[in-house]
Amino acid sequence: MLDVLNTFNRFPLAKLEVGQQLYWQLGNLKVHGQVFITSWFVIAVLVVVSLLGSSKIQRIPSGMQNLMEYALEFIRDLAKNQIGEKEYRPWVPFIGTLFLFIFVSNWSGALIPWKLIKLPSGELGAPTADINTTIAFALLTSLAYFYAGLSKSGLGYFAHYVEPVPFMLPFKIIEDFTKPLSLSFRLFGNILADELVVGVLVLLVPLFVPLPVMVLGLFTSAIQALIFATLAAAYIGEALEGGHGEEHHD
């Protein structure tokens, strides 16, 4: 995409270069510094909201406490519907963390023109606009539902890989890894595209035109977080059923 944008170097759009990285060297390891910066911002927002919502617990909730209790109830219902009444409780923290981090990350990309904030090198963006972040979510989801299946059924969990016939084994293995990966690529693509559109409009028409696009971005960003968390919970529910549960579709 960087090459495509560079072909339009006569236009202001060319100022929004895609793919530049701020690298931090940690020993022999080179990491993307801009992802850590924006991830720390998202974590700080979540921590502050959590502290505000739990600092003065009232019998009749109001304000931030009411918001936090609504979010918890929403996440519990999501996990319960996808995993099941009997087994959803241990998975609420994992599903909630996925949903809240992705939700706040996506909204930061829709509300903040990260790419217009100058760095010595690289460019800022929502954590979920970086493919490394979304693939990390996919790997965590894969580990979660393998753990769920093995903890429930032991090695017998793998029996469903050869059902109804043994030659289904490679196809089911591929399916188990491609399901969360497809989620990660969709999340990455949608958030990156939204950031680019908002950034271009802010650059070209900085006052009122970007506002409708930003509102639409907030809506689609929330939907993307909901889809990822819902399907992650659905995959865990399937694993707990030993692979014999109802098929879940996005």
Side-chain angles (χ1 to χ4, degrees):
M1 186 173 290
L2 177 59
D3 293 335
V4 174
L5 292 181
N6 284 338
T7 61
F8 296 95
N9 56 12
R10 296 182 181 179
F11 300 95
L13 177 62
K15 295 181 180 179
L16 294 173
E17 297 178 352
V18 180
Q20 294 183 9
Q21 305 293 335
L22 171 65
Y23 289 110
W24 290 346
Q25 194 72 36
L26 302 177
N28 295 325
L29 184 64
K30 185 181 288 187
V31 298
H32 291 182
Q34 76 275 8
V35 178
F36 280 91
I37 292 172
T38 52
S39 294
W40 290 336
F41 171 81
V42 171
I43 293 170
V45 170
L46 291 172
V47 168
V48 169
V49 172
S50 299
L51 292 175
L52 291 175
S54 59
S55 59
K56 295 181 180 179
I57 302 297
Q58 300 175 344
R59 185 176 299 274
I60 301 177
S62 61
M64 197 62 69
Q65 181 187 343
N66 195 39
L67 175 64
M68 292 297 295
E69 292 191 7
Y70 173 80
L72 176 59
E73 191 66 27
F74 175 81
I75 293 166
R76 288 175 59 187
D77 287 343
L78 188 155
K80 184 189 299 183
N81 291 335
Q82 298 300 323
I83 298 175
E85 178 76 33
K86 296 181 179 180
E87 298 173 309
Y88 80 95
R89 292 183 184 277
W91 295 100
V92 170
F94 177 73
I95 301 301
T97 300
L98 274 181
F99 175 76
L100 291 175
F101 188 90
I102 294 173
F103 180 85
V104 177
S105 295
N106 292 356
W107 270 40
S108 75
L111 292 172
I112 304 172
W114 288 113
K115 297 186 186 303
L116 300 183
I117 300 175
K118 301 299 182 182
L119 294 177
S121 62
E123 57 188 12
L124 293 176
T128 44
D130 188 286
I131 189 65
N132 297 285
T133 304
T134 58
I135 286 182
F137 289 150
L139 293 176
L140 286 173
T141 302
S142 296
L143 289 175
Y145 67 67
F146 279 125
Y147 171 79
L150 289 171
S151 63
K152 177 70 179 295
S153 307
L155 294 178
Y157 167 72
F158 294 109
H160 79 276
Y161 281 85
V162 292
E163 295 175 351
V165 286
F167 73 79
M168 293 297 296
L169 174 64
F171 300 103
K172 291 195 174 183
I173 292 175
I174 293 173
E175 180 187 16
D176 267 353
F177 285 98
T178 55
K179 286 189 297 187
L181 281 177
S182 66
L183 284 179
S184 69
F185 285 120
R186 178 170 58 191
L187 177 60
F188 161 71
N190 277 280
I191 302 308
L192 179 62
D194 184 65
E195 278 197 357
L196 288 173
V197 170
V198 172
V200 169
L201 289 177
V202 168
L203 184 66
L204 297 177
V205 191
L207 289 180
F208 301 110
V209 174
L211 292 180
V213 179
M214 292 174 71
V215 172
L216 179 61
L218 293 176
F219 176 75
T220 57
S221 295
I223 294 298
Q224 289 299 318
L226 177 61
I227 289 173
F228 199 105
T230 300
L231 291 182
Y235 298 152
I236 292 170
E238 287 181 354
L240 289 170
E241 293 173 356
H244 299 288
E246 294 180 359
E247 185 72 12
H248 295 270
H249 301 281
D250 54 337

